[in-house]
Amino acid sequence: MNKIIYFFIALVPALLAGCNADTPEEPGVSSQREWKSCPLHLNISMGEAMTRAGWELQDGDMIAVQFDQPNEVVEGYARYSAYTGAWTFYYRGQMEDCVDRPCNVAYMGGSPSWEEESSQFALTPFSALFVSEEFGSFSYGNGSVDLSASIVPMFARFKFKGVRYDSFQIIGIETPKSVTFDPWSYQVRWYYEKINLALESTSDGWESPYVYADFAEDWSEHMRLKNTYGVFLLKKAFTGNLKIGGSYILDYPSSSSSYNSSQWIRDSYKTKKLPDSSSGFSSGSFSSNVGCMFSFDYEIISVAAGREPLLKLEVEASGASSWTRTITYTSLNAGDKDHDDQFIYFEGCNTYNVKVTVENMEIKMTNIELSNF
């Protein structure tokens, strides 16, 4: 499941036009309109709210720009070259000499890639994304563009700090996925996607790269880390310090003697595979201090005529406390195929059992597994 959040869209009653008609190697020629290029001079500042120390230009950074005209939307992007120290602006549409026209601006660090067919910038978990607090200012004259904007980060960022090299995975956060021109929006990855990381030697010690994440206000005891020492779950107590746009360092949990127990809960990696099912089942006891991931594939073969199909998961968690959670699937139809992951963690619980109920349909459930990562 992906979450889409829309930027504001500005209607600007103005004609903006022109630059050099050179077609760059990248992104090539659009099937609808030819891409053109010209130099861009940039004046970017970080907004006062939630600023972040240490931000600087990197090779491959990009800026997406969009503004409306009476007859068309002009859209383009600029790419920064650390070798030349210059920005090149690629655009499609017609521009004329103009001064201080408003525009939408999104700044992307971490070398995003441009996908012409979808008018989309593909981002990675390591891509920073900034947007203008208000409209940016766009001017064109003498064959070049001047662009000014005050930008703020859309995501918090964090990195891990340890004592030596190690490779690991994290799961349980939503990271940047893409920025699109039409509609002007950004999209994030669903938080069950695993991210591979490593601690590398830096001038400040052993650190991972920054990961950029979309944290909800109640985020989350659900972020987990897996390495050779086990699975670690980030405690909920940490969440009160997380702010959108903030920058954080997490202690990297390694051996049993060096992980931060005030920040992490630890357990060994555990997994339990179950046989295929067509009629429902009970998973039995699954023991884990860091929660339980229940995953499966399903295909609905047929649905009983005139009856409502039912697929229901009931999770019973027990330990120092006890909880029950019910997940009911709706709008089921013959021919539906899907994969699903459900992560369940209740504070104080260390044993989980999943009961699956199937009614009024023929279903095939495969690749059924419980794990804590």
mmCIF file with all atom_site columns, all heavy atoms in Angstrom, residues 298-301 330-338 363:
data_model
loop_
_atom_site.group_PDB
_atom_site.id
_atom_site.type_symbol
_atom_site.label_atom_id
_atom_site.label_alt_id
_atom_site.label_comp_id
_atom_site.label_asym_id
_atom_site.label_entity_id
_atom_site.label_seq_id
_atom_site.pdbx_PDB_ins_code
_atom_site.Cartn_x
_atom_site.Cartn_y
_atom_site.Cartn_z
_atom_site.occupancy
_atom_site.B_iso_or_equiv
_atom_site.pdbx_formal_charge
_atom_site.auth_seq_id
_atom_site.auth_comp_id
_atom_site.auth_asym_id
_atom_site.auth_atom_id
_atom_site.pdbx_PDB_model_num
ATOM 1   N N   . TYR A 1 298 ? -2.623  -14.952 -1.441  1.00 0.00 ? 298 TYR A N   1
ATOM 2   C CA  . TYR A 1 298 ? -3.921  -15.619 -1.584  1.00 0.00 ? 298 TYR A CA  1
ATOM 3   C C   . TYR A 1 298 ? -4.491  -15.401 -2.975  1.00 0.00 ? 298 TYR A C   1
ATOM 4   O O   . TYR A 1 298 ? -4.203  -14.400 -3.640  1.00 0.00 ? 298 TYR A O   1
ATOM 5   C CB  . TYR A 1 298 ? -4.913  -15.156 -0.509  1.00 0.00 ? 298 TYR A CB  1
ATOM 6   C CG  . TYR A 1 298 ? -5.406  -13.735 -0.640  1.00 0.00 ? 298 TYR A CG  1
ATOM 7   C CD1 . TYR A 1 298 ? -6.527  -13.424 -1.436  1.00 0.00 ? 298 TYR A CD1 1
ATOM 8   C CD2 . TYR A 1 298 ? -4.783  -12.686 0.038   1.00 0.00 ? 298 TYR A CD2 1
ATOM 9   C CE1 . TYR A 1 298 ? -6.990  -12.136 -1.555  1.00 0.00 ? 298 TYR A CE1 1
ATOM 10  C CE2 . TYR A 1 298 ? -5.238  -11.390 -0.072  1.00 0.00 ? 298 TYR A CE2 1
ATOM 11  C CZ  . TYR A 1 298 ? -6.344  -11.113 -0.864  1.00 0.00 ? 298 TYR A CZ  1
ATOM 12  O OH  . TYR A 1 298 ? -6.801  -9.827  -0.982  1.00 0.00 ? 298 TYR A OH  1
ATOM 13  N N   . GLU A 1 299 ? -5.295  -16.364 -3.388  1.00 0.00 ? 299 GLU A N   1
ATOM 14  C CA  . GLU A 1 299 ? -6.059  -16.278 -4.626  1.00 0.00 ? 299 GLU A CA  1
ATOM 15  C C   . GLU A 1 299 ? -7.465  -16.776 -4.338  1.00 0.00 ? 299 GLU A C   1
ATOM 16  O O   . GLU A 1 299 ? -7.647  -17.871 -3.794  1.00 0.00 ? 299 GLU A O   1
ATOM 17  C CB  . GLU A 1 299 ? -5.425  -17.118 -5.720  1.00 0.00 ? 299 GLU A CB  1
ATOM 18  C CG  . GLU A 1 299 ? -6.220  -17.099 -7.024  1.00 0.00 ? 299 GLU A CG  1
ATOM 19  C CD  . GLU A 1 299 ? -5.591  -17.961 -8.105  1.00 0.00 ? 299 GLU A CD  1
ATOM 20  O OE1 . GLU A 1 299 ? -4.555  -18.599 -7.830  1.00 0.00 ? 299 GLU A OE1 1
ATOM 21  O OE2 . GLU A 1 299 ? -6.155  -17.999 -9.218  1.00 0.00 ? 299 GLU A OE2 1
ATOM 22  N N   . ILE A 1 300 ? -8.465  -15.965 -4.695  1.00 0.00 ? 300 ILE A N   1
ATOM 23  C CA  . ILE A 1 300 ? -9.860  -16.356 -4.496  1.00 0.00 ? 300 ILE A CA  1
ATOM 24  C C   . ILE A 1 300 ? -10.324 -17.111 -5.732  1.00 0.00 ? 300 ILE A C   1
ATOM 25  O O   . ILE A 1 300 ? -10.387 -16.562 -6.829  1.00 0.00 ? 300 ILE A O   1
ATOM 26  C CB  . ILE A 1 300 ? -10.749 -15.134 -4.230  1.00 0.00 ? 300 ILE A CB  1
ATOM 27  C CG1 . ILE A 1 300 ? -10.269 -14.410 -2.961  1.00 0.00 ? 300 ILE A CG1 1
ATOM 28  C CG2 . ILE A 1 300 ? -12.219 -15.554 -4.080  1.00 0.00 ? 300 ILE A CG2 1
ATOM 29  C CD1 . ILE A 1 300 ? -11.023 -13.142 -2.646  1.00 0.00 ? 300 ILE A CD1 1
ATOM 30  N N   . ILE A 1 301 ? -10.647 -18.391 -5.553  1.00 0.00 ? 301 ILE A N   1
ATOM 31  C CA  . ILE A 1 301 ? -11.026 -19.245 -6.669  1.00 0.00 ? 301 ILE A CA  1
ATOM 32  C C   . ILE A 1 301 ? -12.482 -18.995 -7.065  1.00 0.00 ? 301 ILE A C   1
ATOM 33  O O   . ILE A 1 301 ? -12.803 -18.834 -8.244  1.00 0.00 ? 301 ILE A O   1
ATOM 34  C CB  . ILE A 1 301 ? -10.823 -20.729 -6.315  1.00 0.00 ? 301 ILE A CB  1
ATOM 35  C CG1 . ILE A 1 301 ? -9.390  -20.955 -5.795  1.00 0.00 ? 301 ILE A CG1 1
ATOM 36  C CG2 . ILE A 1 301 ? -11.118 -21.609 -7.521  1.00 0.00 ? 301 ILE A CG2 1
ATOM 37  C CD1 . ILE A 1 301 ? -8.303  -20.550 -6.760  1.00 0.00 ? 301 ILE A CD1 1
ATOM 38  N N   . THR A 1 330 ? -12.422 -6.901  3.071   1.00 0.00 ? 330 THR A N   1
ATOM 39  C CA  . THR A 1 330 ? -13.702 -6.620  2.420   1.00 0.00 ? 330 THR A CA  1
ATOM 40  C C   . THR A 1 330 ? -13.511 -6.508  0.907   1.00 0.00 ? 330 THR A C   1
ATOM 41  O O   . THR A 1 330 ? -12.392 -6.507  0.408   1.00 0.00 ? 330 THR A O   1
ATOM 42  C CB  . THR A 1 330 ? -14.307 -5.326  2.965   1.00 0.00 ? 330 THR A CB  1
ATOM 43  O OG1 . THR A 1 330 ? -13.391 -4.242  2.728   1.00 0.00 ? 330 THR A OG1 1
ATOM 44  C CG2 . THR A 1 330 ? -14.566 -5.439  4.468   1.00 0.00 ? 330 THR A CG2 1
ATOM 45  N N   . SER A 1 331 ? -14.653 -6.421  0.195   1.00 0.00 ? 331 SER A N   1
ATOM 46  C CA  . SER A 1 331 ? -14.648 -6.266  -1.272  1.00 0.00 ? 331 SER A CA  1
ATOM 47  C C   . SER A 1 331 ? -13.849 -7.371  -1.947  1.00 0.00 ? 331 SER A C   1
ATOM 48  O O   . SER A 1 331 ? -13.013 -7.125  -2.827  1.00 0.00 ? 331 SER A O   1
ATOM 49  C CB  . SER A 1 331 ? -14.097 -4.884  -1.667  1.00 0.00 ? 331 SER A CB  1
ATOM 50  O OG  . SER A 1 331 ? -14.843 -3.846  -1.082  1.00 0.00 ? 331 SER A OG  1
ATOM 51  N N   . LEU A 1 332 ? -14.096 -8.594  -1.534  1.00 0.00 ? 332 LEU A N   1
ATOM 52  C CA  . LEU A 1 332 ? -13.413 -9.745  -2.109  1.00 0.00 ? 332 LEU A CA  1
ATOM 53  C C   . LEU A 1 332 ? -14.209 -10.297 -3.291  1.00 0.00 ? 332 LEU A C   1
ATOM 54  O O   . LEU A 1 332 ? -15.433 -10.391 -3.231  1.00 0.00 ? 332 LEU A O   1
ATOM 55  C CB  . LEU A 1 332 ? -13.241 -10.837 -1.052  1.00 0.00 ? 332 LEU A CB  1
ATOM 56  C CG  . LEU A 1 332 ? -12.427 -10.431 0.185   1.00 0.00 ? 332 LEU A CG  1
ATOM 57  C CD1 . LEU A 1 332 ? -12.444 -11.547 1.215   1.00 0.00 ? 332 LEU A CD1 1
ATOM 58  C CD2 . LEU A 1 332 ? -10.991 -10.077 -0.207  1.00 0.00 ? 332 LEU A CD2 1
ATOM 59  N N   . ASN A 1 333 ? -13.500 -10.670 -4.355  1.00 0.00 ? 333 ASN A N   1
ATOM 60  C CA  . ASN A 1 333 ? -14.153 -11.166 -5.561  1.00 0.00 ? 333 ASN A CA  1
ATOM 61  C C   . ASN A 1 333 ? -13.371 -12.336 -6.127  1.00 0.00 ? 333 ASN A C   1
ATOM 62  O O   . ASN A 1 333 ? -12.147 -12.440 -5.948  1.00 0.00 ? 333 ASN A O   1
ATOM 63  C CB  . ASN A 1 333 ? -14.255 -10.068 -6.622  1.00 0.00 ? 333 ASN A CB  1
ATOM 64  C CG  . ASN A 1 333 ? -15.074 -8.876  -6.145  1.00 0.00 ? 333 ASN A CG  1
ATOM 65  O OD1 . ASN A 1 333 ? -16.297 -8.940  -6.100  1.00 0.00 ? 333 ASN A OD1 1
ATOM 66  N ND2 . ASN A 1 333 ? -14.380 -7.799  -5.792  1.00 0.00 ? 333 ASN A ND2 1
ATOM 67  N N   . ALA A 1 334 ? -14.076 -13.214 -6.826  1.00 0.00 ? 334 ALA A N   1
ATOM 68  C CA  . ALA A 1 334 ? -13.424 -14.334 -7.493  1.00 0.00 ? 334 ALA A CA  1
ATOM 69  C C   . ALA A 1 334 ? -12.364 -13.815 -8.455  1.00 0.00 ? 334 ALA A C   1
ATOM 70  O O   . ALA A 1 334 ? -12.584 -12.839 -9.179  1.00 0.00 ? 334 ALA A O   1
ATOM 71  C CB  . ALA A 1 334 ? -14.458 -15.180 -8.229  1.00 0.00 ? 334 ALA A CB  1
ATOM 72  N N   . GLY A 1 335 ? -11.206 -14.444 -8.440  1.00 0.00 ? 335 GLY A N   1
ATOM 73  C CA  . GLY A 1 335 ? -10.108 -14.029 -9.298  1.00 0.00 ? 335 GLY A CA  1
ATOM 74  C C   . GLY A 1 335 ? -9.114  -13.095 -8.631  1.00 0.00 ? 335 GLY A C   1
ATOM 75  O O   . GLY A 1 335 ? -8.029  -12.852 -9.172  1.00 0.00 ? 335 GLY A O   1
ATOM 76  N N   . ASP A 1 336 ? -9.464  -12.526 -7.466  1.00 0.00 ? 336 ASP A N   1
ATOM 77  C CA  . ASP A 1 336 ? -8.548  -11.638 -6.764  1.00 0.00 ? 336 ASP A CA  1
ATOM 78  C C   . ASP A 1 336 ? -7.290  -12.394 -6.348  1.00 0.00 ? 336 ASP A C   1
ATOM 79  O O   . ASP A 1 336 ? -7.355  -13.516 -5.836  1.00 0.00 ? 336 ASP A O   1
ATOM 80  C CB  . ASP A 1 336 ? -9.202  -11.052 -5.511  1.00 0.00 ? 336 ASP A CB  1
ATOM 81  C CG  . ASP A 1 336 ? -10.265 -10.016 -5.826  1.00 0.00 ? 336 ASP A CG  1
ATOM 82  O OD1 . ASP A 1 336 ? -10.389 -9.650  -7.010  1.00 0.00 ? 336 ASP A OD1 1
ATOM 83  O OD2 . ASP A 1 336 ? -10.959 -9.575  -4.894  1.00 0.00 ? 336 ASP A OD2 1
ATOM 84  N N   . LYS A 1 337 ? -6.123  -11.760 -6.560  1.00 0.00 ? 337 LYS A N   1
ATOM 85  C CA  . LYS A 1 337 ? -4.843  -12.293 -6.104  1.00 0.00 ? 337 LYS A CA  1
ATOM 86  C C   . LYS A 1 337 ? -4.091  -11.175 -5.395  1.00 0.00 ? 337 LYS A C   1
ATOM 87  O O   . LYS A 1 337 ? -4.122  -10.028 -5.838  1.00 0.00 ? 337 LYS A O   1
ATOM 88  C CB  . LYS A 1 337 ? -3.996  -12.790 -7.284  1.00 0.00 ? 337 LYS A CB  1
ATOM 89  C CG  . LYS A 1 337 ? -4.558  -13.949 -8.057  1.00 0.00 ? 337 LYS A CG  1
ATOM 90  C CD  . LYS A 1 337 ? -3.598  -14.337 -9.181  1.00 0.00 ? 337 LYS A CD  1
ATOM 91  C CE  . LYS A 1 337 ? -4.128  -15.488 -10.009 1.00 0.00 ? 337 LYS A CE  1
ATOM 92  N NZ  . LYS A 1 337 ? -3.185  -15.870 -11.105 1.00 0.00 ? 337 LYS A NZ  1
ATOM 93  N N   . ASP A 1 338 ? -3.410  -11.525 -4.311  1.00 0.00 ? 338 ASP A N   1
ATOM 94  C CA  . ASP A 1 338 ? -2.678  -10.478 -3.606  1.00 0.00 ? 338 ASP A CA  1
ATOM 95  C C   . ASP A 1 338 ? -1.682  -11.109 -2.640  1.00 0.00 ? 338 ASP A C   1
ATOM 96  O O   . ASP A 1 338 ? -1.749  -12.306 -2.341  1.00 0.00 ? 338 ASP A O   1
ATOM 97  C CB  . ASP A 1 338 ? -3.640  -9.569  -2.833  1.00 0.00 ? 338 ASP A CB  1
ATOM 98  C CG  . ASP A 1 338 ? -3.087  -8.168  -2.644  1.00 0.00 ? 338 ASP A CG  1
ATOM 99  O OD1 . ASP A 1 338 ? -1.893  -7.955  -2.951  1.00 0.00 ? 338 ASP A OD1 1
ATOM 100 O OD2 . ASP A 1 338 ? -3.832  -7.287  -2.196  1.00 0.00 ? 338 ASP A OD2 1
ATOM 101 N N   . ILE A 1 363 ? -10.794 -20.388 -1.452  1.00 0.00 ? 363 ILE A N   1
ATOM 102 C CA  . ILE A 1 363 ? -9.587  -19.567 -1.470  1.00 0.00 ? 363 ILE A CA  1
ATOM 103 C C   . ILE A 1 363 ? -8.363  -20.460 -1.370  1.00 0.00 ? 363 ILE A C   1
ATOM 104 O O   . ILE A 1 363 ? -8.421  -21.553 -0.789  1.00 0.00 ? 363 ILE A O   1
ATOM 105 C CB  . ILE A 1 363 ? -9.606  -18.539 -0.303  1.00 0.00 ? 363 ILE A CB  1
ATOM 106 C CG1 . ILE A 1 363 ? -8.456  -17.533 -0.436  1.00 0.00 ? 363 ILE A CG1 1
ATOM 107 C CG2 . ILE A 1 363 ? -9.547  -19.258 1.045   1.00 0.00 ? 363 ILE A CG2 1
ATOM 108 C CD1 . ILE A 1 363 ? -8.542  -16.389 0.566   1.00 0.00 ? 363 ILE A CD1 1
#
